[in-house]
Amino acid sequence: MKKLFTLLLFSIYAFGFSQVKMISWNIENFGKSKSYNEIAYIATLLNKYDVVALQEVVAGNGGAQAVARLADELNRKGSKWDYTISDPTTSTPSKTERYAFLWKSSIIKKIGKAWLEKKYASVMEREPYLCTFEYGNKQFTAVSFHAITKSKQPEREIKY
């Protein structure tokens, strides 16, 4: 559990949109290897937010199921949560992953379908995932993006 907490300290970036609390987390290989205790711990950390963006959901066996397990655990904490998971990114097979958004459906409404922005697939290792939400009478589009590592100069992708 200590390793998970250390990862959290370096991977979470939170920001606010009006009164919506959002968080983005590069959750690192989120898939079938996560135990019940790890999922419960993650849910406890995320429960205070309204919208969650996850990067590095495993594209292969177990990634989508882990997101569903996390949503189920969040639902047990008193709020109703929903989620959407991207198709696998179009990067090289060793770098392919999925993204996910989770949100408290009692206060946030998803508008339309979330999408991978394919126009960036040729210039980014992992194209971004976007989803439009509504809070009150205001709509906003959240963008989840997993840039390449510092050694590969992420500014080459970030400029797009």
Side-chain angles (χ1 to χ4, degrees):
M1 204 54 76
K2 184 174 174 105
K3 180 182 177 198
L4 180 65
F5 185 69
T6 302
L7 172 67
L8 176 68
L9 289 176
F10 294 107
S11 300
I12 289 184
Y13 302 93
F15 58 94
F17 178 89
S18 184
Q19 295 178 338
V20 175
K21 291 187 279 181
M22 300 181 68
I23 189 164
S24 177
W25 188 355
N26 176 341
I27 201 157
E28 192 177 10
N29 297 315
F30 193 60
K32 67 180 179 180
S33 66
K34 299 296 183 208
S35 70
Y36 170 79
N37 288 339
E38 288 172 311
I39 295 281
Y41 180 72
I42 292 166
T44 298
L45 294 173
L46 297 178
N47 191 46
K48 62 185 169 186
Y49 297 96
D50 303 315
V51 178
V52 175
L54 299 178
Q55 299 85 38
E56 277 201 48
V57 174
V58 173
N61 189 15
Q65 294 85 349
V67 174
R69 288 171 41 215
L70 177 57
D72 184 53
E73 189 61 31
L74 284 163
N75 282 327
R76 293 171 203 226
K77 302 216 175 277
S79 295
K80 176 68 177 137
W81 286 78
D82 203 350
Y83 64 94
T84 184
I85 305 168
S86 75
D87 290 333
T89 58
T90 57
S91 56
T92 59
S94 64
K95 298 291 183 185
T96 298
E97 63 186 62
R98 293 178 187 260
Y99 296 97
F101 284 110
L102 298 97
W103 64 94
K104 287 181 179 169
S105 58
S106 60
I107 59 171
I108 304 289
K109 179 181 176 185
K110 182 171 75 80
I111 306 298
K113 185 176 179 179
W115 71 98
L116 284 170
E117 190 55 73
K118 297 291 187 183
K119 73 181 182 181
Y120 296 118
S122 64
V123 293
M124 294 179 171
E125 194 167 276
R126 296 167 289 243
E127 63 273 29
Y129 188 49
L130 293 83
C131 189
T132 300
F133 297 100
E134 183 175 88
Y135 173 74
N137 293 327
K138 295 184 179 183
Q139 289 187 6
F140 62 97
T141 300
V143 179
S144 185
F145 171 55
H146 186 187
I148 55 178
T149 63
K150 185 176 179 181
S151 66
K152 292 184 178 181
Q153 300 175 322
E155 56 275 5
R156 291 183 305 140
E157 293 184 341
I158 293 169
K159 70 182 177 184
Y160 295 103

